[in-house]
Amino acid sequence: MDKKGDILEVQVIGSLNTQTAPQLETVLADVEDGVENIILDLAALDYISSAGLRVILVTYNKMESVDGKLVIKNAQPGVVEIFDMTGFSSILTLE
Amino acid sequence: MQLTSIIANMIGTIAVINLIGVIIQGSKQLSVIRGDGNRTRQIIALGIIGGLFGIYATISGFRMSNGIVIAVRDVGPMMAGCLGGPISGLIAGMIAAIHRLIVGMPDITTGTTIPCCIATLLIGLLCGQLYIKFKAKEKRVLWAILIATEMELMHLVLVFIYTWLMSGFNASVVLIIQIAPPFLITNGIAFGLLAYVLDMVEKYKSVERQEKQVETELNIAKNIQKDMLPSIFPNFARRKEFSIDASMKPAKEIGGDFYDFFFIDEDHFAFLIADVSGKGVPAALFMVISKTIIKNNVSSFANLSEAIKKSNIQLCEGNKSGTFVTAWIGVYEISSGLLTYVNAGHNPPLIKRNGKPFEYLRNLSGFFLAGSTKTEYKQYQTHLNAGDRIFLYTDGITEAMNNNEEQYGEDRLLNCFSGQYRDKTVTEIIEVITDNVLKFADGAEQFDDMTMLALMISGEYETITVDATLDNFDTVSVFLTNTLKKHNIDTDLINKMNLVLDELFSNVVNYSKSKDYKLGVSICADRISMKMIYGGELYDITKVKDPDITLAAKDRPVGGLGLLIVKKTMDKVDYTQEDGLNVITLSKKIGI
């Protein structure tokens, strides 16, 4: 986790599944007010399950409500595939 | 008075000639003597036999009070000529005439030796000319009597002329009046009767030939029928997903058993066994039509019970003989392991699932086929997984009899699959059952076709069972990863499988209330198969509606995404309930 002004960058390593998604949710829920942009670096993410998608959706909606932005970067092909599959690609900003 | 006693005395000789005729013409062993298949030998043989007849007849002739001997000697050359042609007639005539000459030598000038000899020789020759015409006649008795009397008339004319020349006209007339009636009657009877018995022998022989021909044709039919059944090699020998073997041991008589197996498409394999009621040609014909109709319908209908319903209606059409068919038809979906089957009044197959012993699969779908057009057929489903086996058979197995009139029965059959035999391959299964049934029958005649088919799903599932708590996800996930790594599955696919596991495992933990969770993984050919078994609430996850993934982010539902991912990641997702448990089977082709 790396915070620079109003931008928060989070590296997600391993897999975002039933067991690990709640951890990310806790981390992101504790983000202080004033953070307007969250960047999730998924370079080291093996796979994401629906539990992880839920966290991303919740975070996305939260950022929208404060006119902030959620950016996903370095998503691996397998993860992008899941985003495409579930329609997340149409709402997320992928870099 | 003398005439009747002559005939009475001569009947013995006539009977002997007839008897020899029947034996020579009728006996299979004497075919060499008859010269069957060799015209030259036949001509000579008939000539000699005719000649010997003549000799016998001369010896056993009846001596009248005036010293004249009434003999049926000429019947020998007649027979030889009429049946064998001029050469046979000549040979027979010569033999009989020479013998007559030797016998008559002492009183050659006073007796009738010379005209008799000439007559016998001439008769042989003349009858030889009638050979083709006589052969073509069907009812030869009357012709034979006619020929015999004509020939003897000629014989009498010769005797008359000779006697006239030697002893004067009056003596000659007296002699002819005395000998003509017995001569004509005995020879007529002798040759007539001979023709009659030969006709009969011919008739029996032709009946026998026809029977033999029918038997040959039935054997050909039997082979055609056998060739109609699919063979394992080369089409199915190298299938990696399953192995199959089948056998049909027909009873003596042609019957109506059959098995069949074929691919409906790349992923669906149909296999079936059936038994047409009755035996013989009607059953065999019905077998052919049944096989064709069932294969056509099973291949073209997506729904098995519909296919069987349609087959039944088609088989009922024009079935006035009351023939019916019992059948067990299964369609195995390779990707999911799902077996869909219909049992139309057939014997229950034996099935071995999930490492448990073999058991009878007793679900009955409906009445046998070709019975009633109104029958509905319910289809059943079960899963066949790696190592599972199914054995189909006809009642020729269970109803095989031993010499004590006991039936083999279902219990004995089931016992063949217990203990050391429970893990036999398909070929071994067929061998073991065949041996066991034959041993039981102990030489008793096989009355019904014995037909079997065995199918075994390749590979074995590796399994793990854990308590259904979230903490155990790692354990299951590590097991899955290691199993896939062992089979050199690439990381990307391993991640995908873990994702699927994640979604389904969390579902089980969060919603099913099951105490435990079992995962089976199998890699066979080019496919990964996973099987999940858990208790709790019975709920078909495949019936969950897909969420709308086009809504705006704030309106998006979170539920249902997991199952959507599962369905889109795997090639096949199936849900069944077995023994009160939820069973999910999934499969994914490697490399796509």
Side-chain angles (χ1 to χ4, degrees):
Chain A
M1 191 150 63
D2 185 16
K3 195 182 166 203
K4 284 175 192 165
D6 59 354
I7 301 173
L8 177 74
E9 184 164 330
V10 181
Q11 283 191 324
V12 188
I13 299 164
S15 46
L16 203 48
N17 58 30
T18 314
Q19 264 190 323
T20 55
Q23 294 170 27
L24 180 67
E25 192 173 14
T26 316
V27 168
L28 294 177
D30 288 348
V31 169
E32 306 152 36
D33 291 342
V35 172
E36 285 179 7
N37 291 297
I38 294 178
I39 300 171
L40 289 181
D41 184 347
L42 306 186
L45 181 68
D46 293 335
Y47 72 86
I48 182 167
S49 80
S50 60
L53 292 174
R54 198 183 62 82
V55 175
I56 287 179
L57 187 65
V58 168
T59 311
Y60 177 85
N61 283 334
K62 190 176 157 193
M63 296 315 290
E64 286 279 286
S65 67
V66 296
D67 288 327
K69 219 176 162 195
L70 173 70
V71 176
I72 307 286
K73 74 175 193 186
N74 299 328
Q76 298 302 302
V79 174
V80 173
E81 207 180 308
I82 300 296
F83 288 147
D84 289 342
M85 198 185 276
T86 51
F88 270 59
S89 305
S90 62
I91 50 172
L92 292 178
T93 312
L94 298 178
E95 282 181 0
Chain B
M1 231 3 242
Q2 207 181 12
L3 182 63
T4 31
S5 74
I6 291 170
I7 294 169
N9 274 287
M10 294 300 291
I11 284 293
T13 309
I14 292 167
V16 169
I17 290 172
N18 280 318
L19 188 64
I20 293 168
V22 170
I23 290 169
I24 290 176
Q25 276 304 113
S27 161
K28 274 194 187 123
Q29 285 72 30
L30 295 180
S31 67
V32 179
I33 294 177
R34 281 199 302 276
D36 284 1
N38 182 330
R39 182 78 184 113
T40 317
R41 225 170 55 212
Q42 197 179 21
I43 288 170
I44 296 169
L46 271 167
I48 293 171
I49 292 164
L52 293 176
F53 264 27
I55 293 174
Y56 171 74
T58 307
I59 295 167
S60 60
F62 182 80
R63 189 173 287 275
M64 289 172 68
S65 51
N66 59 0
I68 297 291
V69 175
I70 303 294
V72 290
R73 176 182 59 252
D74 296 342
V75 170
M78 277 183 220
M79 182 205 74
C82 285
L83 298 180
I87 299 170
S88 299
L90 184 66
I91 295 170
M94 273 169 61
I95 294 172
I98 291 168
H99 175 258
R100 175 68 180 87
L101 191 63
I102 296 165
V103 171
M105 206 52 101
D107 46 5
I108 192 144
T109 44
T110 53
T112 57
T113 303
I114 290 167
C116 281
C117 286
I118 295 169
T120 298
L121 193 60
L122 268 177
I123 286 169
L125 270 174
L126 285 172
C127 285
Q129 303 305 314
L130 297 171
Y131 159 66
I132 289 168
K133 279 191 177 165
F134 187 75
K135 212 181 164 190
K137 303 281 180 217
E138 261 182 34
K139 286 180 178 167
R140 299 185 290 190
V141 180
L142 286 173
W143 286 102
I145 294 171
L146 193 67
I147 290 168
T149 43
E150 297 291 318
M151 294 300 148
E152 290 318 299
L153 269 177
M154 183 201 71
H155 189 151
L156 287 170
V157 168
L158 286 175
V159 170
F160 177 74
I161 294 169
Y162 181 80
T163 315
W164 185 4
L165 292 176
M166 301 301 283
S167 317
F169 183 74
N170 285 344
S172 184
V173 170
V174 170
L175 178 72
I176 292 303
I177 288 170
Q178 273 183 344
I179 65 169
F183 225 75
L184 293 173
I185 291 171
T186 52
N187 278 288
I189 290 174
F191 197 47
L193 269 178
L194 187 62
Y196 179 71
V197 295
L198 291 181
D199 271 356
M200 288 220 304
V201 169
E202 276 298 303
K203 205 167 131 193
Y204 286 129
K205 270 184 166 175
S206 85
V207 168
E208 202 181 327
R209 268 199 299 274
Q210 274 171 10
E211 276 172 0
K212 222 173 222 167
Q213 196 183 348
V214 169
E215 202 186 310
T216 312
E217 279 170 8
L218 276 179
N219 274 332
I220 294 168
K222 241 183 187 175
N223 284 333
I224 291 174
Q225 192 183 26
K226 220 175 171 184
D227 292 343
M228 283 183 67
L229 303 179
S231 52
I232 315 292
F233 294 97
N235 299 345
F236 299 93
R238 280 197 290 274
R239 292 304 302 196
K240 284 180 188 159
E241 299 91 341
F242 59 85
S243 49
I244 187 166
D245 202 357
S247 92
M248 184 177 90
K249 193 174 182 298
K252 202 174 167 198
E253 199 180 349
I254 190 166
D257 270 18
F258 66 96
Y259 62 80
D260 202 359
F261 46 83
F262 49 88
F263 275 95
I264 298 168
D265 55 44
E266 215 180 77
D267 195 28
H268 293 88
F269 180 69
F271 59 104
L272 60 105
I273 198 160
D275 186 358
V276 177
S277 66
K279 279 192 170 105
V281 174
L285 285 174
F286 216 81
M287 169 257 166
V288 174
I289 187 102
S290 305
K291 183 177 174 291
T292 312
I293 284 178
I294 293 173
K295 185 171 182 175
N296 280 347
N297 287 319
V298 170
S299 298
S300 52
F301 279 84
N303 181 308
L304 182 63
S305 65
E306 283 300 312
I308 302 309
K309 189 180 164 188
K310 178 83 180 169
S311 304
N312 174 54
I313 291 168
Q314 289 173 343
L315 283 169
C316 285
E317 280 168 15
N319 175 23
K320 287 183 185 130
S321 61
T323 306
F324 62 88
V325 188
T326 70
W328 192 101
I329 306 106
V331 174
Y332 176 63
E333 190 173 67
I334 295 165
S335 58
S336 66
L338 189 67
L339 172 70
T340 306
Y341 63 92
V342 163
N343 185 348
H346 197 77
N347 303 58
L350 278 151
I351 191 163
K352 174 178 158 60
R353 283 172 293 194
N354 300 326
K356 288 188 281 185
F358 271 96
E359 59 182 330
Y360 282 105
L361 191 61
R362 294 197 185 272
N363 292 332
L364 209 59
S365 306
F367 205 41
F368 41 64
L369 302 173
S372 156
T373 49
K374 295 196 176 69
T375 314
E376 296 285 339
Y377 294 93
K378 186 175 183 317
Q379 65 179 38
Y380 296 91
Q381 290 188 322
T382 185
H383 267 99
L384 287 182
N385 298 312
D388 288 356
R389 296 159 174 81
I390 185 162
F391 174 73
L392 316 179
Y393 59 93
T394 56
D395 57 8
I397 300 283
T398 44
E399 288 171 17
M401 291 273 197
N402 65 9
N403 289 314
N404 299 327
E405 305 266 306
E406 287 171 315
Q407 287 196 346
Y408 184 70
E410 287 187 357
D411 292 343
R412 282 191 185 86
L413 183 61
L414 185 60
N415 278 339
C416 285
F417 289 97
S418 61
Q420 53 166 321
Y421 296 122
R422 57 183 296 173
D423 290 321
K424 291 278 176 203
T425 65
V426 286
T427 309
E428 287 167 343
I429 287 173
I430 305 272
E431 280 168 6
V432 165
I433 305 298
T434 308
D435 286 355
N436 201 271
V437 171
L438 291 179
K439 213 167 129 190
F440 169 80
D442 195 21
E445 197 194 335
Q446 181 195 341
F447 285 107
D448 206 351
D449 298 348
M450 299 200 312
T451 308
M452 292 174 270
L453 184 150
L455 179 94
M456 178 180 146
I457 310 305
S458 309
E460 295 287 348
Y461 272 94
E462 290 183 46
T463 60
I464 185 171
T465 306
V466 294
D467 288 342
T469 61
L470 215 50
D471 303 338
N472 280 325
F473 176 72
D474 274 346
T475 317
V476 183
S477 175
V478 166
F479 165 80
L480 174 65
T481 305
N482 289 343
T483 309
L484 296 175
K485 270 185 182 161
K486 254 192 327 204
H487 289 88
N488 303 318
I489 307 296
D490 67 55
T491 315
D492 184 43
L493 198 51
I494 293 179
N495 283 336
K496 279 184 179 153
M497 294 302 107
N498 268 305
L499 171 58
V500 167
L501 174 70
D502 182 304
E503 301 296 356
L504 294 173
F505 184 77
S506 59
N507 254 355
V508 172
V509 172
N510 295 332
Y511 306 115
S512 76
K513 300 193 188 93
S514 173
K515 275 204 213 109
D516 45 24
Y517 170 89
K518 182 178 179 183
L519 172 72
V521 185
S522 162
I523 292 98
C524 173
D526 57 350
R527 214 175 284 278
I528 299 171
S529 300
M530 287 200 280
K531 188 168 70 165
M532 300 172 186
I533 303 171
Y534 55 95
E537 226 170 280
L538 296 172
Y539 183 72
D540 185 351
I541 56 147
T542 59
K543 295 246 163 71
V544 175
K545 260 177 80 180
D546 290 343
D548 187 344
I549 56 169
T550 58
L551 294 173
K554 60 178 172 24
D555 300 327
R556 288 210 181 189
V558 178
L561 275 182
L563 289 175
L564 179 75
I565 293 172
V566 170
K567 280 190 244 173
K568 288 202 172 175
T569 305
M570 302 305 287
D571 297 332
K572 276 266 175 213
V573 180
D574 278 295
Y575 172 87
T576 48
Q577 293 167 3
E578 281 170 26
D579 303 331
L581 297 171
N582 297 288
V583 180
I584 300 174
T585 17
L586 310 115
S587 78
K588 171 82 177 163
K589 218 168 175 181
I590 299 165
I592 293 175

